[in-house]
Amino acid sequence: TQRVNDRRYTLANRKQALEFLIHFIGDITQPLHDEAKAVGGNQIPVLWAGNKTNLHATWDTQMVEKDAGGSYGAAVIASFSDRLIAAIDGGVYASQKAEWISCSDVKNAGACALGWAQDANRINCLYVLKVDETGQELEGGYYTGAKPYIELQIAKAGYRLGSWVNNLAAAA
């Protein structure tokens, strides 16, 4: 966080710091990125659409793509983003969004990151790792149960990222 606005670093270094920050805020909000069990689910073999994969990859890619309506492409991302923005602005998440950014002091990045990680990790206990999914097909019922968590966490990540970047700009 500090390097983004620190003019002692080159523009290229500050850009790289911002890119890392964007990635980090997205990752820390996802449940298995905050979990040590089986290396964050990377060592839990599962099936997706009959193909062998692991739990972490399923949460990172396959389930997100299915929820978004396809693989990553500009139209898919725009549609998925619009749906989440509507849910944040006046839909199901509108009453929650203030809490998502209750920790947004860019000078207290460590505490905010810890809180966000703990929030995401709760979902591991509530759903992701509640039952042993080893070797199971996840595209059906498991995905259906995971979908609300996927959307919630991506909405949180985007909203937190926007707030964090705005606060960084204000501090510059």
Side-chain angles (χ1 to χ4, degrees):
T1 293
Q2 293 173 351
R3 286 186 181 207
V4 173
N5 285 340
D6 191 335
R7 297 195 184 276
R8 293 178 296 172
Y9 294 96
T10 66
L11 184 59
N13 289 140
R14 293 185 353 233
K15 178 181 178 258
Q16 183 180 39
L18 180 60
E19 290 168 346
F20 176 79
L21 184 64
I22 291 166
H23 187 102
F24 180 78
I25 290 175
D27 274 1
I28 201 166
T29 307
Q30 298 308 318
L32 289 167
H33 289 225
D34 313 298
E35 176 60 49
K37 182 176 181 177
V39 191
N42 282 295
Q43 295 176 347
I44 299 175
V46 298
L47 298 173
W48 181 263
N51 298 307
K52 292 180 180 180
T53 185
N54 66 67
L55 187 62
H56 189 104
T58 301
W59 272 86
D60 260 13
T61 305
Q62 289 95 355
M63 291 196 295
V64 175
E65 286 180 349
K66 182 172 181 168
D67 190 20
S71 337
Y72 300 109
V76 170
I77 292 170
S79 174
F80 187 56
S81 298
D82 288 347
R83 193 172 83 212
L84 292 179
I85 290 167
I88 293 167
D89 285 345
V92 67
Y93 303 135
S95 66
Q96 301 172 43
K97 64 186 180 182
E99 174 59 30
W100 299 347
I101 58 170
S102 62
C103 188
S104 59
D105 179 359
V106 296
K107 294 180 180 172
N108 197 13
C112 292
L114 180 60
W116 298 342
Q118 290 169 332
D119 174 63
N121 192 264
R122 275 192 357 262
I123 296 168
N124 290 318
C125 299
L126 290 171
Y127 190 79
V128 180
L129 300 169
K130 189 172 183 176
V131 297
D132 183 5
E133 296 296 338
T134 302
Q136 299 300 307
E137 173 62 59
L138 302 186
E139 190 178 24
Y142 183 86
Y143 163 76
T144 301
K147 186 177 176 191
Y149 294 109
I150 293 165
E151 292 177 357
L152 174 65
Q153 292 309 107
I154 293 172
K156 283 180 187 178
Y159 200 72
R160 286 173 178 158
L161 176 61
S163 175
W164 202 261
V165 171
N166 286 343
N167 290 342
L168 278 172

